[in-house]
Amino acid sequence: MTSEDAVTAAAVDSLRGTDDPRLRELLTALIRHLHAFTRETRLTQREWETAIAFLTETGQTCTDTRQEFILLSDVLGLSMLVETVNGHSDPGSTESTVLGPFHMTESPVRELGAGIDLVGAGEPCVVSGVVRSADGTPLPGAVLDVWQADPHGFYDVQQPDVQPPGNGRGLFTADDEGRFRFRTCVPSEYPIPTDGPVGALLKATGRHPYRPAHIHFIVSAEGHAPVTTHIFVAGGAYLDSDAVFAVKESLVKDFTPIDDPALAEEYGVPNPFRHARFDLVLERS
């Protein structure tokens, strides 16, 4: 009879002809950890079949505008762990966080100061800042890809019959001093999709599906490592229990109330409005 350890050894040995050393390393570790998990939990045949069915349904739920596997990775904390393992080494650089499952379409190119809220249903807000290198040098021409949900917690790809394409999204280029600015609405907390297998998993484990209010950023500049990050609304709900474990204290910012008609006119927003300052620091690549 084949022993448990012999099965693991044979599976690992089957990789000996793998030419790519990194692929061999990853698959070897995967086999060893999966086999160890099976032995530790004494996984039953029925449980294994349930797991296969769950993963099959997860794949079948994916579409061009929905990535259920990223959602699964997020709620298991794996996405955040990968970000943490690969985090930038410079302690002064902007901290990274998860990409999320809704960066599914290209953001439209917009001029600095333009609005990304095409519906106008939320509280008006201006987000501005400066992109700098770790030594403090401004980075002119830095590119900022931003996206967020509408005030009701839905992304444009979730409501193609309700929101115009590109709502809540924008691709901006920083000016000669590394500065950027755009108009939007104050984001709100929202539940991640719960109508698929990931939602069923959250329900089975007694977890809530909510994410705190945030705006996504991917920021890049020549000669620097790009950063995928968020800005979170200070004082909002779920900052201490984000369903995808993505909150970092340095990314929580005040969305300050402003009552200044002249400044509102300059920014092109109704008065009063809110303003969030979010400076970003990139590490040299």
XYZ file of all heavy atoms in Angstrom, residues 167-271:
802
model
N -17.788 55.692 -15.684
C -18.176 56.441 -14.489
C -17.319 56.012 -13.304
O -17.117 54.825 -13.056
C -19.652 56.196 -14.154
C -20.131 57.073 -13.009
O -19.887 58.274 -13.002
N -20.806 56.468 -12.047
N -16.801 56.990 -12.583
C -15.954 56.695 -11.432
C -14.535 56.329 -11.796
O -13.781 55.864 -10.942
N -14.140 56.555 -13.047
C -12.798 56.183 -13.501
C -12.130 57.357 -14.219
O -12.795 58.169 -14.870
C -12.848 54.982 -14.453
C -13.474 53.732 -13.853
C -13.514 52.581 -14.844
N -14.319 51.489 -14.336
C -13.832 50.474 -13.611
N -12.537 50.422 -13.341
N -14.630 49.511 -13.173
N -10.812 57.407 -14.105
C -10.072 58.436 -14.824
C -8.595 58.119 -14.871
O -8.044 57.527 -13.931
N -7.953 58.497 -15.967
C -6.514 58.345 -16.136
C -5.933 59.755 -16.260
O -6.205 60.463 -17.235
C -6.206 57.516 -17.379
C -4.767 57.032 -17.535
C -4.410 56.012 -16.459
C -4.568 56.406 -18.923
N -5.151 60.153 -15.259
C -4.641 61.516 -15.174
C -3.118 61.525 -15.271
O -2.451 60.572 -14.845
C -5.061 62.163 -13.847
C -6.547 62.295 -13.681
C -7.285 61.306 -13.041
C -7.216 63.402 -14.173
C -8.653 61.416 -12.886
C -8.590 63.532 -14.026
C -9.312 62.534 -13.386
N -2.582 62.619 -15.800
C -1.137 62.817 -15.873
C -0.771 64.024 -15.027
O -1.315 65.124 -15.223
C -0.684 63.038 -17.326
O -1.041 61.894 -18.103
C 0.827 63.236 -17.391
N 0.137 63.835 -14.081
C 0.553 64.918 -13.189
C 1.220 66.042 -13.982
O 1.825 65.810 -15.039
C 1.501 64.385 -12.120
N 1.128 67.271 -13.480
C 1.699 68.420 -14.181
C 3.215 68.495 -13.979
O 3.835 67.557 -13.450
C 1.009 69.714 -13.748
C 1.284 70.110 -12.296
O 2.203 69.533 -11.672
O 0.579 71.004 -11.793
N 3.813 69.613 -14.390
C 5.274 69.759 -14.357
C 5.844 69.755 -12.945
O 7.058 69.635 -12.764
C 5.689 71.051 -15.071
C 5.450 70.979 -16.567
O 5.277 69.851 -17.078
O 5.422 72.037 -17.221
N 4.991 69.912 -11.949
C 5.437 69.878 -10.552
C 4.946 68.625 -9.838
O 4.971 68.549 -8.610
C 4.971 71.138 -9.821
C 5.551 72.427 -10.401
C 5.068 73.661 -9.670
O 4.948 73.598 -8.422
O 4.805 74.675 -10.327
N 4.481 67.648 -10.607
C 4.011 66.397 -10.023
C 2.642 66.484 -9.387
O 2.210 65.556 -8.711
N 1.942 67.592 -9.609
C 0.647 67.789 -8.956
C -0.486 67.149 -9.769
O -0.420 67.079 -11.003
C 0.364 69.287 -8.794
C 1.380 70.010 -7.913
C 1.127 71.495 -7.896
N 1.200 72.071 -9.243
C 1.100 73.368 -9.509
N 0.895 74.237 -8.530
N 1.187 73.799 -10.762
N -1.522 66.725 -9.054
C -2.729 66.200 -9.701
C -3.948 66.673 -8.941
O -3.873 67.047 -7.763
C -2.706 64.663 -9.767
C -2.885 63.997 -8.427
C -4.152 63.640 -7.964
C -1.787 63.725 -7.617
C -4.326 63.024 -6.725
C -1.948 63.119 -6.373
C -3.213 62.771 -5.937
N -5.081 66.668 -9.616
C -6.352 67.026 -8.985
C -7.481 66.486 -9.832
O -7.400 66.499 -11.062
C -6.477 68.550 -8.861
C -7.692 69.000 -8.046
C -7.756 70.508 -7.905
N -8.301 71.151 -9.091
C -7.783 72.210 -9.685
N -6.662 72.741 -9.228
N -8.360 72.744 -10.751
N -8.528 65.989 -9.184
C -9.734 65.590 -9.910
C -10.950 65.770 -9.027
O -10.855 65.829 -7.794
C -9.638 64.145 -10.430
C -9.476 63.087 -9.375
C -10.586 62.476 -8.792
C -8.204 62.670 -8.980
C -10.431 61.488 -7.832
C -8.049 61.680 -8.023
C -9.161 61.087 -7.447
N -12.098 65.894 -9.683
C -13.372 66.036 -8.997
C -14.089 64.692 -8.971
O -13.995 63.906 -9.917
C -14.253 67.068 -9.703
C -13.718 68.487 -9.632
C -14.591 69.467 -10.408
N -14.349 69.375 -11.845
C -15.240 68.993 -12.736
N -16.456 68.604 -12.347
N -14.946 68.946 -14.027
N -14.785 64.440 -7.887
C -15.538 63.191 -7.773
C -16.615 63.370 -6.717
O -16.963 64.506 -6.358
C -14.599 62.016 -7.447
O -15.347 60.799 -7.449
C -13.896 62.184 -6.119
N -17.146 62.276 -6.219
C -18.053 62.317 -5.076
C -17.400 61.554 -3.933
O -16.539 60.699 -4.155
C -19.409 61.716 -5.424
S -19.349 59.975 -5.916
N -17.782 61.882 -2.715
C -17.232 61.179 -1.562
C -17.632 59.707 -1.660
O -18.816 59.386 -1.805
C -17.761 61.780 -0.255
C -17.232 61.000 0.951
C -17.359 63.251 -0.144
N -16.653 58.801 -1.631
C -17.010 57.376 -1.738
C -17.742 56.891 -0.498
O -17.670 57.515 0.571
C -15.642 56.693 -1.876
C -14.679 57.636 -1.223
C -15.207 59.015 -1.485
N -18.449 55.797 -0.642
C -19.179 55.221 0.481
C -18.747 53.779 0.690
O -18.195 53.141 -0.213
C -20.686 55.273 0.228
O -21.035 54.447 -0.865
N -18.989 53.284 1.895
C -18.744 51.860 2.127
C -19.726 51.049 1.276
O -20.786 51.538 0.887
C -18.916 51.503 3.606
C -20.306 51.677 4.156
C -20.589 53.090 4.659
O -19.729 53.974 4.489
O -21.691 53.292 5.213
N -19.366 49.812 0.989
C -20.254 48.989 0.165
C -19.931 47.520 0.392
O -18.830 47.163 0.797
C -20.106 49.328 -1.317
C -18.739 49.045 -1.903
C -18.395 47.776 -2.367
C -17.784 50.049 -2.007
C -17.140 47.508 -2.902
C -16.533 49.805 -2.539
C -16.217 48.540 -2.987
O -14.969 48.279 -3.506
N -20.899 46.643 0.104
C -20.629 45.211 0.210
C -20.014 44.693 -1.081
O -20.396 45.109 -2.172
C -22.017 44.606 0.438
C -22.937 45.545 -0.281
C -22.331 46.919 -0.149
N -19.058 43.804 -0.963
C -18.567 43.106 -2.139
C -19.689 42.200 -2.648
O -20.627 41.890 -1.907
C -17.299 42.291 -1.828
C -17.595 41.227 -0.762
C -16.164 43.204 -1.377
C -16.424 40.291 -0.489
N -19.650 41.777 -3.910
C -20.738 40.932 -4.431
C -20.918 39.657 -3.603
O -19.947 38.948 -3.312
C -20.268 40.604 -5.846
C -19.375 41.737 -6.227
C -18.670 42.121 -4.958
N -22.149 39.390 -3.234
C -22.441 38.223 -2.397
C -23.347 37.216 -3.087
O -23.826 36.275 -2.447
C -23.093 38.660 -1.076
O -24.287 39.415 -1.374
C -22.148 39.521 -0.257
N -23.599 37.414 -4.385
C -24.518 36.525 -5.098
C -23.811 35.351 -5.754
O -24.405 34.634 -6.559
C -25.299 37.309 -6.146
C -24.388 37.988 -7.163
O -23.188 38.166 -6.867
O -24.882 38.359 -8.249
N -22.536 35.138 -5.406
C -21.780 34.031 -5.970
C -21.189 33.151 -4.886
O -21.542 33.274 -3.695
N -20.280 32.270 -5.239
C -19.700 31.353 -4.261
C -18.934 32.054 -3.146
O -18.927 31.568 -2.009
C -18.777 30.469 -5.109
C -18.571 31.207 -6.379
C -19.803 32.010 -6.616
N -18.292 33.185 -3.432
C -17.572 33.901 -2.372
C -18.551 34.443 -1.340
O -18.301 34.389 -0.136
C -16.714 35.029 -2.966
C -16.113 35.891 -1.854
C -15.588 34.453 -3.820
N -19.686 34.946 -1.804
C -20.715 35.398 -0.878
C -21.226 34.262 -0.001
O -21.455 34.440 1.197
N -21.397 33.092 -0.593
C -21.843 31.925 0.177
C -20.808 31.549 1.228
O -21.149 31.145 2.350
C -22.106 30.753 -0.763
N -19.532 31.686 0.869
C -18.463 31.385 1.827
C -18.501 32.358 3.005
O -18.364 31.942 4.165
C -17.112 31.462 1.120
C -15.868 31.229 1.986
C -15.872 29.803 2.538
C -14.598 31.488 1.183
N -18.687 33.647 2.725
C -18.776 34.629 3.805
C -19.951 34.311 4.729
O -19.830 34.377 5.955
C -18.927 36.039 3.238
C -17.722 36.631 2.516
C -18.057 38.022 1.995
C -16.503 36.688 3.428
N -21.094 33.977 4.136
C -22.272 33.653 4.941
C -22.022 32.432 5.802
O -22.378 32.397 6.991
C -23.477 33.423 4.030
C -24.766 33.138 4.786
C -25.942 32.983 3.827
C -27.230 32.702 4.589
N -28.390 32.552 3.661
N -21.373 31.410 5.231
C -21.119 30.172 5.976
C -20.166 30.400 7.139
O -20.209 29.661 8.135
C -20.550 29.113 5.033
N -19.317 31.414 7.028
C -18.334 31.678 8.090
C -18.740 32.839 8.982
O -17.958 33.267 9.840
C -16.955 31.963 7.474
O -17.068 33.012 6.498
C -16.410 30.722 6.788
N -19.954 33.366 8.791
C -20.464 34.412 9.667
C -19.761 35.752 9.504
O -19.737 36.555 10.437
N -19.226 36.010 8.319
C -18.500 37.262 8.078
C -19.360 38.246 7.301
O -20.137 37.858 6.438
C -17.213 36.990 7.289
C -16.150 36.258 8.062
C -14.975 35.933 7.156
N -14.454 37.121 6.476
C -13.531 37.083 5.522
N -13.037 35.918 5.133
N -13.113 38.192 4.966
N -19.181 39.540 7.581
C -19.888 40.555 6.793
C -19.119 40.821 5.498
O -17.911 40.550 5.409
C -20.075 41.847 7.603
C -18.830 42.671 7.761
N -18.254 43.386 6.722
C -18.052 42.932 8.840
C -17.191 44.035 7.136
N -17.035 43.762 8.420
N -19.779 41.362 4.465
C -19.134 41.543 3.160
C -18.645 42.971 2.896
O -18.258 43.275 1.764
C -20.268 41.199 2.194
C -21.487 41.720 2.887
C -21.247 41.512 4.373
N -18.635 43.832 3.912
C -18.452 45.257 3.642
C -16.992 45.698 3.555
O -16.121 45.196 4.281
C -19.162 46.095 4.707
C -20.640 46.173 4.447
C -21.502 45.202 4.973
C -21.185 47.178 3.657
C -22.868 45.256 4.717
C -22.546 47.236 3.404
C -23.378 46.275 3.933
O -24.725 46.311 3.678
N -16.780 46.659 2.654
C -15.512 47.363 2.526
C -15.709 48.805 2.970
O -16.742 49.404 2.709
C -15.029 47.364 1.076
C -14.739 45.974 0.527
C -13.498 46.006 -0.330
N -12.365 46.504 0.426
C -11.332 47.158 -0.098
N -11.292 47.406 -1.399
N -10.343 47.567 0.668
N -14.727 49.398 3.661
C -14.845 50.814 4.014
C -14.746 51.686 2.769
O -14.242 51.254 1.725
C -13.646 51.039 4.946
C -12.672 49.981 4.569
C -13.479 48.793 4.135
N -15.214 52.916 2.871
C -15.214 53.838 1.738
C -13.784 54.111 1.271
O -12.899 54.400 2.082
C -15.893 55.144 2.138
N -13.578 54.063 -0.052
C -12.224 54.225 -0.579
C -12.241 54.588 -2.054
O -13.247 54.398 -2.745
C -11.414 52.934 -0.394
C -11.985 51.766 -1.135
N -12.996 50.978 -0.626
C -11.711 51.260 -2.371
C -13.316 50.047 -1.499
N -12.558 50.193 -2.573
N -11.105 55.083 -2.525
C -10.844 55.312 -3.942
C -9.568 54.564 -4.291
O -8.581 54.626 -3.554
C -10.678 56.811 -4.258
C -11.924 57.603 -3.842
C -10.401 57.018 -5.752
C -11.772 59.108 -3.981
N -9.589 53.854 -5.413
C -8.431 53.085 -5.869
C -7.466 53.964 -6.670
O -7.898 54.852 -7.407
C -8.874 51.941 -6.793
C -9.688 50.882 -6.133
N -9.142 49.727 -5.631
C -11.023 50.793 -5.920
C -10.100 48.966 -5.136
N -11.250 49.592 -5.297
N -6.173 53.653 -6.548
C -5.141 54.318 -7.346
C -4.129 53.286 -7.840
O -3.742 52.377 -7.093
C -4.343 55.315 -6.497
C -5.036 56.606 -6.176
C -6.047 56.646 -5.222
C -4.661 57.783 -6.789
C -6.672 57.838 -4.901
C -5.282 58.979 -6.478
C -6.290 59.005 -5.528
N -3.694 53.439 -9.087
C -2.441 52.841 -9.547
C -1.607 54.002 -10.070
O -2.042 54.729 -10.972
C -2.642 51.803 -10.665
C -3.491 50.621 -10.183
C -1.288 51.292 -11.166
C -3.781 49.598 -11.273
N -0.434 54.206 -9.482
C 0.387 55.369 -9.814
C 1.732 54.875 -10.338
O 2.368 53.999 -9.738
C 0.593 56.277 -8.592
C 1.331 57.557 -8.991
C -0.752 56.621 -7.958
N 2.167 55.449 -11.459
C 3.426 55.043 -12.072
C 4.178 56.263 -12.584
O 3.574 57.299 -12.894
C 3.169 54.057 -13.223
O 2.327 54.639 -14.198
N 5.494 56.136 -12.660
C 6.349 57.194 -13.192
C 7.625 56.553 -13.697
O 8.081 55.530 -13.161
C 6.655 58.250 -12.126
N 8.213 57.147 -14.705
C 9.427 56.599 -15.308
C 10.535 56.465 -14.260
O 10.782 57.365 -13.477
C 9.904 57.509 -16.440
C 11.090 56.956 -17.209
C 11.482 57.827 -18.384
O 10.744 58.796 -18.668
O 12.515 57.536 -19.019
N 11.177 55.290 -14.264
C 12.287 55.054 -13.348
C 11.869 54.688 -11.940
O 12.718 54.588 -11.046
N 10.576 54.480 -11.740
C 10.059 54.178 -10.402
C 9.140 52.962 -10.444
O 8.526 52.663 -11.472
C 9.303 55.379 -9.837
C 10.175 56.552 -9.544
N 10.709 57.353 -10.534
C 10.631 57.050 -8.361
C 11.442 58.305 -9.973
N 11.417 58.135 -8.679
N 9.056 52.271 -9.317
C 8.149 51.132 -9.205
C 6.725 51.644 -9.033
O 6.478 52.526 -8.205
C 8.540 50.263 -8.011
N 5.778 51.141 -9.813
C 4.383 51.571 -9.647
C 3.819 51.094 -8.320
O 4.302 50.120 -7.734
C 3.668 50.910 -10.825
C 4.510 49.727 -11.164
C 5.928 50.125 -10.861
N 2.805 51.785 -7.847
C 2.158 51.382 -6.602
C 0.660 51.282 -6.828
O 0.050 52.133 -7.481
C 2.474 52.361 -5.445
C 1.926 53.757 -5.729
C 1.929 51.836 -4.119
N 0.080 50.208 -6.330
C -1.373 50.012 -6.320
C -1.847 50.267 -4.904
O -1.386 49.609 -3.962
C -1.730 48.582 -6.746
O -1.269 48.347 -8.065
C -3.237 48.361 -6.689
N -2.749 51.223 -4.729
C -3.093 51.625 -3.376
C -4.524 52.148 -3.320
O -5.258 52.124 -4.311
C -2.076 52.670 -2.866
O -2.247 52.869 -1.476
C -2.206 53.986 -3.608
N -4.953 52.587 -2.137
C -6.269 53.196 -1.914
C -6.067 54.478 -1.117
O -5.045 54.653 -0.441
C -7.174 52.347 -1.013
C -7.638 51.028 -1.540
N -7.122 50.395 -2.631
C -8.619 50.205 -1.073
C -7.756 49.233 -2.812
N -8.665 49.104 -1.877
N -7.090 55.317 -1.118
C -7.278 56.325 -0.084
C -8.593 55.990 0.603
O -9.615 55.798 -0.058
C -7.265 57.760 -0.656
C -7.527 58.782 0.452
C -8.249 57.921 -1.807
C -7.425 60.228 -0.019
N -8.546 55.851 1.938
C -9.732 55.524 2.725
C -10.261 56.771 3.423
O -9.487 57.646 3.819
C -9.404 54.465 3.786
C -9.036 53.121 3.228
C -7.708 52.782 3.026
C -10.011 52.193 2.911
C -7.358 51.543 2.524
C -9.676 50.940 2.404
C -8.351 50.616 2.207
N -11.574 56.840 3.601
C -12.208 57.991 4.231
C -12.123 57.857 5.751
O -12.675 56.909 6.332
C -13.680 58.126 3.796
C -14.324 59.336 4.468
C -13.780 58.236 2.286
N -11.412 58.790 6.371
C -11.263 58.756 7.829
C -12.624 58.856 8.509
O -13.509 59.582 8.060
C -10.366 59.899 8.287
N -12.794 58.113 9.584
C -14.023 58.145 10.352
C -15.139 57.287 9.791
O -16.227 57.223 10.367
N -14.882 56.617 8.672
C -15.914 55.804 8.062
C -16.095 54.457 8.741
O -15.289 54.039 9.584
N -17.149 53.772 8.336
C -17.437 52.450 8.888
C -16.514 51.401 8.290
O -15.984 51.573 7.186
C -18.893 52.083 8.616
N -16.296 50.337 9.032
C -15.587 49.131 8.590
C -14.078 49.317 8.393
O -13.426 48.435 7.843
C -16.202 48.570 7.292
C -17.679 48.316 7.402
C -18.598 49.142 6.750
C -18.173 47.268 8.178
C -19.958 48.922 6.869
C -19.541 47.039 8.300
C -20.423 47.867 7.643
O -21.778 47.652 7.763
N -13.523 50.418 8.859
C -12.075 50.581 8.744
C -11.331 49.517 9.550
O -10.205 49.155 9.215
C -11.654 51.976 9.223
C -11.989 53.144 8.282
C -11.739 54.471 8.988
C -11.179 53.052 6.997
N -11.962 49.032 10.611
C -11.319 48.024 11.454
C -11.780 46.608 11.141
O -11.401 45.653 11.832
C -11.571 48.329 12.937
C -13.045 48.348 13.295
O -13.890 48.326 12.364
O -13.361 48.408 14.502
N -12.591 46.461 10.071
C -13.062 45.105 9.739
C -13.297 44.952 8.242
O -14.276 44.327 7.815
C -14.356 44.791 10.507
O -15.397 45.697 10.138
N -12.407 45.524 7.448
C -12.511 45.432 5.995
C -12.599 43.965 5.570
O -11.781 43.136 5.991
C -11.275 46.096 5.382
C -11.289 46.132 3.864
O -12.301 45.738 3.270
O -10.277 46.556 3.282
N -13.563 43.651 4.732
C -13.777 42.259 4.312
C -12.578 41.680 3.581
O -12.438 40.456 3.498
C -15.016 42.158 3.432
N -11.690 42.543 3.043
C -10.529 42.036 2.298
C -9.213 42.417 2.981
O -8.144 42.296 2.370
C -10.555 42.513 0.829
C -11.876 42.133 0.187
C -10.308 43.997 0.686
N -9.274 42.910 4.231
C -8.093 43.126 5.071
C -7.112 44.156 4.491
O -5.908 44.070 4.709
C -7.332 41.802 5.296
C -8.217 40.649 5.672
C -8.573 39.687 4.734
C -8.725 40.530 6.959
C -9.403 38.625 5.073
C -9.540 39.469 7.314
C -9.887 38.517 6.371
N -7.626 45.158 3.756
C -6.743 46.022 2.970
C -6.432 47.368 3.597
O -5.666 48.147 3.025
C -7.352 46.256 1.585
N -6.996 47.683 4.756
C -6.790 49.006 5.341
C -5.412 49.119 5.978
O -4.987 48.245 6.733
C -7.875 49.323 6.392
C -7.601 50.679 7.053
C -9.254 49.309 5.762
N -4.715 50.214 5.646
C -3.462 50.565 6.304
C -3.599 51.985 6.834
O -4.135 52.862 6.144
C -2.287 50.448 5.337
C -2.018 49.022 4.887
C -0.800 48.930 3.985
C -0.511 47.486 3.603
N 0.685 47.359 2.718
N -3.112 52.199 8.045
C -3.341 53.479 8.724
C -2.853 54.666 7.896
O -3.487 55.726 7.866
C -2.650 53.471 10.083
C -2.938 54.695 10.929
C -2.322 54.619 12.309
O -1.786 53.548 12.671
O -2.371 55.640 13.025
N -1.735 54.493 7.191
C -1.170 55.611 6.428
C -2.052 56.014 5.255
O -1.876 57.106 4.693
C 0.222 55.240 5.911
O 0.145 54.217 4.923
N -2.989 55.156 4.869
C -3.841 55.427 3.716
C -5.195 56.015 4.109
O -6.008 56.325 3.239
C -4.059 54.143 2.907
C -2.788 53.429 2.434
C -3.145 52.155 1.690
C -1.935 54.346 1.567
N -5.437 56.173 5.400
C -6.694 56.753 5.887
C -6.531 58.266 5.942
O -5.660 58.780 6.652
C -7.064 56.187 7.267
C -8.362 56.822 7.765
C -7.191 54.666 7.213
N -7.343 59.002 5.184
C -7.186 60.444 5.057
C -8.501 61.166 5.349
O -9.589 60.633 5.104
C -6.730 60.813 3.636
C -5.430 60.137 3.202
C -4.239 60.610 4.025
C -2.949 59.944 3.561
N -1.778 60.372 4.371
N -8.371 62.395 5.846
C -9.544 63.224 6.089
C -10.130 63.729 4.771
O -9.385 64.169 3.885
C -9.178 64.432 6.958
C -8.850 64.044 8.387
O -9.488 63.112 8.906
O -7.958 64.684 8.981
N -11.428 63.649 4.659
C -12.162 64.299 3.577
C -12.809 65.530 4.211
O -13.934 65.488 4.685
C -13.187 63.344 2.978
C -12.603 62.349 2.010
C -11.646 61.426 2.412
C -13.013 62.334 0.685
C -11.108 60.511 1.514
C -12.487 61.417 -0.230
C -11.523 60.516 0.195
N -12.058 66.611 4.234
C -12.377 67.783 5.040
C -13.513 68.608 4.432
O -13.448 68.944 3.236
C -11.133 68.680 5.184
O -10.047 67.890 5.674
C -11.393 69.841 6.116
N -14.527 68.967 5.229
C -15.585 69.846 4.712
C -15.029 71.247 4.424
O -14.294 71.814 5.242
C -16.601 69.885 5.853
C -16.286 68.692 6.706
C -14.816 68.480 6.587
N -15.368 71.780 3.265
C -14.926 73.111 2.857
C -16.157 73.951 2.511
O -17.004 73.517 1.727
C -13.996 73.052 1.620
C -12.792 72.132 1.878
C -13.556 74.456 1.227
C -11.820 72.651 2.899
N -16.218 75.152 3.107
C -17.278 76.104 2.783
C -16.606 77.384 2.300
O -16.288 78.276 3.092
C -18.149 76.364 4.009
C -19.376 77.211 3.686
O -19.497 77.668 2.523
O -20.216 77.410 4.588
N -16.345 77.433 1.005
C -15.606 78.543 0.414
C -16.073 78.697 -1.032
O -15.586 77.988 -1.923
C -14.104 78.265 0.474
C -13.253 79.427 0.005
O -13.730 80.207 -0.847
O -12.103 79.548 0.467
N -17.019 79.608 -1.267
C -17.570 79.753 -2.620
C -16.511 80.043 -3.683
O -16.591 79.495 -4.795
C -18.541 80.927 -2.478
C -18.915 80.930 -1.028
C -17.688 80.483 -0.295
N -15.516 80.853 -3.353
C -14.485 81.184 -4.345
C -13.661 79.954 -4.703
O -13.356 79.706 -5.877
C -13.590 82.298 -3.810
N -13.288 79.173 -3.697
C -12.496 77.973 -3.949
C -13.325 76.927 -4.694
O -12.826 76.241 -5.592
C -11.975 77.408 -2.631
C -10.946 76.283 -2.731
C -9.725 76.722 -3.528
C -10.534 75.814 -1.331
N -14.598 76.835 -4.328
C -15.486 75.907 -5.031
C -15.580 76.270 -6.508
O -15.542 75.394 -7.387
C -16.863 75.916 -4.387
N -15.684 77.571 -6.794
C -15.747 78.014 -8.193
C -14.445 77.688 -8.924
O -14.458 77.255 -10.079
C -16.013 79.513 -8.251
C -16.182 80.039 -9.663
C -16.525 81.510 -9.700
O -16.626 82.137 -8.622
O -16.691 82.044 -10.814
N -13.310 77.867 -8.231
C -12.013 77.552 -8.838
C -11.908 76.071 -9.183
O -11.394 75.699 -10.240
C -10.890 77.947 -7.888
C -9.490 77.604 -8.387
C -8.415 77.915 -7.363
O -8.671 78.699 -6.433
O -7.306 77.335 -7.485
N -12.400 75.221 -8.290
C -12.337 73.781 -8.508
C -13.437 73.265 -9.436
O -13.360 72.135 -9.929
C -12.426 73.043 -7.183
C -11.187 73.106 -6.323
C -11.259 72.848 -4.955
C -9.943 73.402 -6.862
C -10.127 72.884 -4.158
C -8.808 73.452 -6.068
C -8.906 73.196 -4.722
O -7.777 73.235 -3.921
N -14.486 74.060 -9.613
C -15.589 73.632 -10.468
C -16.545 72.680 -9.785
O -17.098 71.780 -10.431
N -16.756 72.896 -8.472
C -17.682 72.050 -7.713
C -18.678 72.933 -6.976
O -18.413 74.113 -6.731
C -16.925 71.161 -6.696
C -16.063 70.145 -7.405
C -16.098 72.003 -5.728
N -19.829 72.387 -6.615
C -20.775 73.153 -5.801
C -20.176 73.436 -4.422
O -19.301 72.716 -3.948
C -21.995 72.239 -5.701
C -21.818 71.206 -6.754
C -20.347 71.051 -6.956
N -20.642 74.484 -3.807
C -20.243 74.808 -2.441
C -21.399 74.492 -1.490
O -22.557 74.805 -1.821
C -19.872 76.290 -2.336
C -19.230 76.627 -1.000
O -18.165 76.123 -0.679
N -19.907 77.451 -0.213
